[in-house]
Amino acid sequence: MKYILYFFFFGIITSQAQTDYNTKKGFVAEGYDVVSYFDNKAIEGHKDFTTTYDGAKYKFTSQTHLDTFTANPNKYVPQYGGYCAYAVAEYDKKVSIDPETFEIRDNKLYLFYNSWGNNTLESWLEKDVKGLIKKADKSWKTIGKED
């Protein structure tokens, strides 16, 4: 009986899909330091300071930032796998981001698309942000896993 339960639970754990992270350029946030965002700075990380968390690679500007991340990674991982928060909320789509377009809200990192005159952070801020977050959270439960 013990072995049946083990295989049952092991099967559930291994059958769950992993979060789909936006790893354009090989790293979450296109290689920008996710800890730096919390200092209100968008700074590209350095190849000497990297780590992998939950199957996705991250770059940092310093060993201090790398250590800060590894001590509490869930605090720094961007919402919605690092995809555009506005697109997840409004269109149920995973859209790439401009790593220099971001918002820290309620101690969470949100990244946004910003190209061709379309800055989705501006659109995000013009609407009911709390409502958008609720929509994005709901949408992410469906679109946020790898197939």
Side-chain angles (χ1 to χ4, degrees):
M1 180 68 170
K2 172 169 74 171
Y3 294 109
I4 293 170
L5 287 175
Y6 171 78
F7 288 115
F8 174 75
F9 287 114
F10 183 75
I12 289 173
I13 290 169
T14 58
S15 68
Q16 292 177 352
Q18 183 177 348
T19 298
D20 180 16
Y21 290 98
N22 180 4
T23 55
K24 189 172 181 181
K25 298 186 180 178
F27 295 88
V28 171
E30 294 187 13
Y32 277 63
D33 180 342
V34 293
V35 174
S36 291
Y37 288 117
F38 288 81
D39 294 328
N40 206 31
K41 298 175 185 172
I43 304 172
E44 192 165 359
H46 191 275
K47 66 179 179 174
D48 290 341
F49 308 108
T50 64
T51 193
T52 300
Y53 174 74
D54 196 26
K57 294 182 352 182
Y58 294 81
K59 281 191 339 190
F60 302 91
T61 58
S62 67
Q63 185 65 47
T64 301
H65 279 201
L66 172 58
D67 294 343
T68 299
F69 178 84
T70 56
N72 188 7
N74 287 324
K75 176 180 178 178
Y76 300 101
V77 170
Q79 299 302 292
Y80 318 121
Y83 289 97
C84 174
Y86 186 77
V88 171
E90 289 289 75
Y91 306 111
D92 299 326
K93 300 241 184 246
K94 294 185 253 183
V95 173
S96 290
I97 50 96
D98 173 346
E100 296 185 4
T101 307
F102 68 96
E103 178 185 38
I104 301 295
R105 180 176 292 267
D106 299 326
N107 247 355
K108 295 180 180 179
L109 171 59
Y110 297 89
L111 298 170
F112 299 89
Y113 176 85
N114 183 3
S115 187
W116 298 94
N118 184 10
N119 183 341
T120 59
L121 174 58
E122 291 174 359
S123 301
W124 173 266
L125 295 173
E126 289 171 357
K127 295 192 175 186
D128 170 22
V129 174
K130 288 184 180 184
L132 287 171
I133 290 171
K134 285 180 184 176
K135 285 172 67 175
D137 288 349
K138 183 178 179 185
S139 175
W140 190 246
K141 288 177 184 176
T142 304
I143 68 170
K145 302 294 180 190
E146 290 182 339
D147 296 327

